[in-house]
Amino acid sequence: MTKDSLQTTDADGGDLTPPGFSNPGMEPHRPRLSDTSPRGAKRAERQVVFIFTISILATIGGIVGYFAFPLDGVKLFNVRMSTLSIGAGLGIGMLGIGIGAIHWAKSLMDDREKSEPRHPMVSDKPTRAEALEMLREGISESKIARRPLLKGALGTAVAIAPLTFLVPLIGNLGGDWDVEKFKRTAWRPVENGNPEHYHEGKYRYITVDPSNRKLKASDITNGNIVHVLPAGLHDDPDFLTEKAKAAVILVRVDPEIITPLPGREDWTYEGIIAYSKICTHVGCPVALYERTTHHLLCPCHQSTFDVTDHAKVVFGPAKRALPQLPIAVDDEGYLYAMDDFDEAVGPSFWERER
Ligand code: FES
């Protein structure tokens, strides 16, 4: 292979091999359409601008979505749409910047390979001057100075992309949780409730989750755990939100081993006791029951609650007992809730009166 056959050349056929060095094996440069045709270069530039424009619109769309779907009411639809719009805005915004930059580099920036002989680690003055000159050349070859539209599109896309982080972050600063909504659950008594779902039109019957079947005390055997919901909750338009607050577990133990808190002596029925299923640590469902120790376990961080002793915490990071639901049975033996919880359900870091 001769030296001539390995020559690296510029677009005009000029030799780019540094003086005194042979070509180390680089392929001859193959000009792209954008190198030889001003129209091709213009078209590539328009494509890059188009991609950056998509990135800009996606970022703006994410911010608009954040304001269009406020989370004040904790509506599930709003939560989903807000998450979708912010996620899509952020993802497409960033992806657009990446794709646009790659397309720009591949189609418009100088793609000629260059070789550079090794130099001593400490460069002499002329070499540093040469490096500076090469840097200037690189900037000039990127043609950024002569493409203000492209420069502006990239600058705007990069500048506004962080807004999808910052706007939700700043928008969600401050403000307290509305603890009142965690104190009211679907177990609260009502006036003139549907007799199918409410005992005496007032007290909510207890149904098995997920079959929605009304539960009799005789259905629960000793040592059993049953996951329950308020009767008719499936018809609630805000079902998922209400379910997240009203999920309850029923456990039956020997009535003799229950140590009720003062004032809660009649909150159980023949050893059947009801507790909120929402862990008071950070809200995972407490779903594991140890029959021999009568302990309820939260699978997330192993908080453990004593069923026989008002579900007080016996192990783990939770800081307060599971709220207890007062229950009773009607003449036919169906279980119902005598009242709502008397404290907020869920994690204990929310502001509470007690
Ligand atoms: S959420 Fe239950 S222990 Fe952490």
Side-chain angles (χ1 to χ4, degrees), residues 279 281-284 298 300-303 317:
C279 182
H281 179 219
V282 290
C284 285
C298 176
C300 287
H301 315 99
Q302 285 74 53
S303 283

PDB file of all heavy atoms in Angstrom, residues 279 281-284 298 300-303 317, ligand 1:
ATOM      1  N   CYS A 279     -50.407   0.939  56.377  1.00  0.00           N
ATOM      2  CA  CYS A 279     -49.340   1.005  57.376  1.00  0.00           C
ATOM      3  C   CYS A 279     -49.105   2.451  57.815  1.00  0.00           C
ATOM      4  O   CYS A 279     -49.092   3.375  56.994  1.00  0.00           O
ATOM      5  CB  CYS A 279     -48.050   0.414  56.801  1.00  0.00           C
ATOM      6  SG  CYS A 279     -46.687   0.378  57.964  1.00  0.00           S
ATOM      7  N   HIS A 281     -46.399   3.633  58.788  1.00  0.00           N
ATOM      8  CA  HIS A 281     -45.051   4.093  58.465  1.00  0.00           C
ATOM      9  C   HIS A 281     -45.111   4.938  57.201  1.00  0.00           C
ATOM     10  O   HIS A 281     -45.190   6.164  57.282  1.00  0.00           O
ATOM     11  CB  HIS A 281     -44.099   2.889  58.303  1.00  0.00           C
ATOM     12  CG  HIS A 281     -42.706   3.304  57.949  1.00  0.00           C
ATOM     13  ND1 HIS A 281     -41.936   2.607  57.059  1.00  0.00           N
ATOM     14  CD2 HIS A 281     -41.955   4.359  58.346  1.00  0.00           C
ATOM     15  CE1 HIS A 281     -40.764   3.205  56.934  1.00  0.00           C
ATOM     16  NE2 HIS A 281     -40.750   4.268  57.705  1.00  0.00           N
ATOM     17  N   VAL A 282     -45.126   4.303  56.027  1.00  0.00           N
ATOM     18  CA  VAL A 282     -45.285   5.092  54.802  1.00  0.00           C
ATOM     19  C   VAL A 282     -46.404   4.572  53.909  1.00  0.00           C
ATOM     20  O   VAL A 282     -46.430   4.870  52.717  1.00  0.00           O
ATOM     21  CB  VAL A 282     -43.971   5.229  54.006  1.00  0.00           C
ATOM     22  CG1 VAL A 282     -42.987   6.126  54.725  1.00  0.00           C
ATOM     23  CG2 VAL A 282     -43.345   3.889  53.707  1.00  0.00           C
ATOM     24  N   GLY A 283     -47.328   3.806  54.462  1.00  0.00           N
ATOM     25  CA  GLY A 283     -48.565   3.537  53.727  1.00  0.00           C
ATOM     26  C   GLY A 283     -48.652   2.254  52.922  1.00  0.00           C
ATOM     27  O   GLY A 283     -49.585   2.100  52.134  1.00  0.00           O
ATOM     28  N   CYS A 284     -47.750   1.328  53.090  1.00  0.00           N
ATOM     29  CA  CYS A 284     -47.896   0.038  52.378  1.00  0.00           C
ATOM     30  C   CYS A 284     -49.078  -0.730  52.982  1.00  0.00           C
ATOM     31  O   CYS A 284     -49.463  -0.488  54.116  1.00  0.00           O
ATOM     32  CB  CYS A 284     -46.627  -0.797  52.545  1.00  0.00           C
ATOM     33  SG  CYS A 284     -45.256  -0.231  51.554  1.00  0.00           S
ATOM     34  N   CYS A 298     -46.013  -5.607  58.157  1.00  0.00           N
ATOM     35  CA  CYS A 298     -45.988  -4.844  56.915  1.00  0.00           C
ATOM     36  C   CYS A 298     -44.796  -5.338  56.099  1.00  0.00           C
ATOM     37  O   CYS A 298     -43.660  -5.346  56.590  1.00  0.00           O
ATOM     38  CB  CYS A 298     -45.835  -3.357  57.211  1.00  0.00           C
ATOM     39  SG  CYS A 298     -45.693  -2.405  55.695  1.00  0.00           S
ATOM     40  N   CYS A 300     -43.215  -4.041  53.686  1.00  0.00           N
ATOM     41  CA  CYS A 300     -42.265  -3.057  53.132  1.00  0.00           C
ATOM     42  C   CYS A 300     -41.028  -2.878  54.004  1.00  0.00           C
ATOM     43  O   CYS A 300     -39.903  -2.983  53.534  1.00  0.00           O
ATOM     44  CB  CYS A 300     -42.966  -1.719  52.928  1.00  0.00           C
ATOM     45  SG  CYS A 300     -44.099  -1.768  51.545  1.00  0.00           S
ATOM     46  N   HIS A 301     -41.229  -2.568  55.303  1.00  0.00           N
ATOM     47  CA  HIS A 301     -40.070  -2.343  56.170  1.00  0.00           C
ATOM     48  C   HIS A 301     -40.221  -3.087  57.496  1.00  0.00           C
ATOM     49  O   HIS A 301     -39.670  -2.680  58.516  1.00  0.00           O
ATOM     50  CB  HIS A 301     -39.865  -0.840  56.404  1.00  0.00           C
ATOM     51  CG  HIS A 301     -39.984  -0.014  55.162  1.00  0.00           C
ATOM     52  ND1 HIS A 301     -41.120   0.671  54.816  1.00  0.00           N
ATOM     53  CD2 HIS A 301     -39.110   0.180  54.149  1.00  0.00           C
ATOM     54  CE1 HIS A 301     -40.946   1.269  53.658  1.00  0.00           C
ATOM     55  NE2 HIS A 301     -39.747   0.985  53.228  1.00  0.00           N
ATOM     56  N   GLN A 302     -41.055  -4.108  57.463  1.00  0.00           N
ATOM     57  CA  GLN A 302     -41.189  -5.038  58.600  1.00  0.00           C
ATOM     58  C   GLN A 302     -41.756  -4.417  59.882  1.00  0.00           C
ATOM     59  O   GLN A 302     -41.458  -4.878  60.981  1.00  0.00           O
ATOM     60  CB  GLN A 302     -39.843  -5.720  58.925  1.00  0.00           C
ATOM     61  CG  GLN A 302     -39.449  -6.799  57.931  1.00  0.00           C
ATOM     62  CD  GLN A 302     -38.986  -6.244  56.611  1.00  0.00           C
ATOM     63  OE1 GLN A 302     -38.104  -5.400  56.587  1.00  0.00           O
ATOM     64  NE2 GLN A 302     -39.598  -6.674  55.530  1.00  0.00           N
ATOM     65  N   SER A 303     -42.526  -3.375  59.785  1.00  0.00           N
ATOM     66  CA  SER A 303     -43.228  -2.915  60.985  1.00  0.00           C
ATOM     67  C   SER A 303     -44.186  -4.016  61.418  1.00  0.00           C
ATOM     68  O   SER A 303     -44.832  -4.654  60.586  1.00  0.00           O
ATOM     69  CB  SER A 303     -44.010  -1.626  60.699  1.00  0.00           C
ATOM     70  OG  SER A 303     -43.144  -0.533  60.669  1.00  0.00           O
ATOM     71  N   PRO A 317     -40.191   0.484  61.926  1.00  0.00           N
ATOM     72  CA  PRO A 317     -40.102   1.948  61.904  1.00  0.00           C
ATOM     73  C   PRO A 317     -41.422   2.694  62.117  1.00  0.00           C
ATOM     74  O   PRO A 317     -41.411   3.900  62.297  1.00  0.00           O
ATOM     75  CB  PRO A 317     -39.572   2.230  60.490  1.00  0.00           C
ATOM     76  CG  PRO A 317     -40.057   1.082  59.665  1.00  0.00           C
ATOM     77  CD  PRO A 317     -40.097  -0.106  60.577  1.00  0.00           C
TER      78      PRO A 317
HETATM   79  S1  FES B   1     -44.605   1.063  55.059  1.00  0.00           S
HETATM   80 FE1  FES B   1     -44.987  -0.422  56.559  1.00  0.00          FE
HETATM   81  S2  FES B   1     -43.135  -0.627  57.563  1.00  0.00           S
HETATM   82 FE2  FES B   1     -42.743   0.874  56.111  1.00  0.00          FE
END
